[in-house]
Amino acid sequence: MHVCYAAVFRPSMFIDKLQKAVANIEARSLRRDAIYYHVLTERVALSTSKVQLCQPPWRKRLAPGRLRLHSVADVTPGVRELKAKLSDRASGPGRAYLWKLFIHHVLPSVKRVVLLDADVLLISDLELLWGQFTHFAQSAIMGVAREQNILYRSEVTARGGVGMNTGVVLMDLERMRRSRLYRSLVEGF
């Protein structure tokens, strides 16, 4: 099972939330050793994050290799250009979170991932959420829920859209890489 957190917006404030989020998952999971954590960060923040994440209690809590840092700067120039193009249409911190659309490029060897915001706390075993992948249709690449917060939802529906909450996203990265439709939607946005 792979869990991903995006720390591309104010990563220094993110470390404490990340530690709590991982501790929350670890406390509720029966198969902790089957969970791998991935943290997306920018190259500038990568060295700082490595130092902070490799300090106790992290070293005691997670076996070596279960926490991996990935720099979004390592993607191809084409992906960076596409992200920059989409950033022109986003506002505020939304620009940084657009990297979520390109996780399949940042994690090339991961087949599936549960993308979580660091402020999301689970109330039961991660394996139950991971099990939702078995309910995906053959063509499904992503599982998200409608936005429940009226403030966010009303902003999107006022523009004629349907608000989706990306605080918890199940992503079939293998299918995302193969999907011509997904690629055309992102590139044509």
Side-chain angles (χ1 to χ4, degrees):
M1 293 180 285
H2 295 269
V3 177
C4 183
Y5 295 97
V8 291
F9 181 70
R10 295 185 186 158
S12 59
M13 297 171 55
F14 178 81
I15 301 296
D16 185 51
K17 284 184 178 181
L18 177 65
Q19 289 177 346
K20 289 176 183 172
V22 170
N24 167 260
I25 291 174
E26 293 286 300
R28 284 162 177 70
S29 297
L30 297 175
R31 297 187 324 132
R32 290 180 199 97
D33 57 333
I35 303 171
Y36 295 89
Y37 299 94
H38 302 270
V39 179
L40 273 57
T41 187
E42 295 173 302
R43 186 176 301 278
V44 176
L46 193 58
S47 59
T48 304
S49 299
K50 271 187 181 174
V51 169
Q52 290 175 317
L53 292 173
C54 293
Q55 300 297 318
W58 282 95
R59 279 185 293 184
K60 295 176 187 172
R61 189 175 294 146
L62 297 174
R66 288 191 52 221
L67 175 69
R68 300 173 187 155
L69 299 177
H70 306 271
S71 173
V72 294
D74 293 336
V75 298
T76 65
V79 172
R80 277 196 301 278
E81 288 170 21
L82 183 54
K83 193 270 183 183
K85 178 180 148 188
L86 291 174
S87 292
D88 291 340
R89 297 172 186 231
S91 61
R95 289 181 176 105
Y97 296 121
L98 285 171
W99 282 114
K100 292 179 178 183
L101 297 172
F102 304 103
I103 287 179
H104 57 297
H105 293 289
V106 181
L107 305 175
S109 62
V110 176
K111 293 181 181 182
R112 292 177 172 168
V113 71
V114 174
L115 175 68
L116 297 173
D117 282 354
D119 59 355
V120 170
L121 298 177
L122 301 183
I123 58 172
S124 61
D125 196 327
L126 174 71
E127 199 154 2
L128 295 172
L129 182 58
W130 189 265
Q132 294 304 304
F133 280 114
T134 63
H135 300 290
F136 273 32
Q138 285 291 82
S139 60
I141 61 171
M142 214 177 284
V144 295
R146 287 186 182 261
E147 180 59 65
Q148 301 298 309
N149 185 322
I150 190 68
L151 295 174
Y152 295 129
R153 190 175 58 216
S154 61
E155 185 179 320
V156 173
T157 54
R159 295 185 210 160
V162 176
M164 306 307 273
N165 186 311
T166 60
V168 178
V169 183
L170 281 71
M171 302 175 119
D172 190 314
L173 303 182
E174 203 168 61
R175 289 181 186 173
M176 287 173 76
R177 290 182 201 103
R178 290 192 317 247
S179 175
R180 289 184 202 148
L181 176 60
Y182 182 73
R183 189 171 38 256
S184 69
L185 288 171
V186 172
E187 291 173 359
F189 187 78

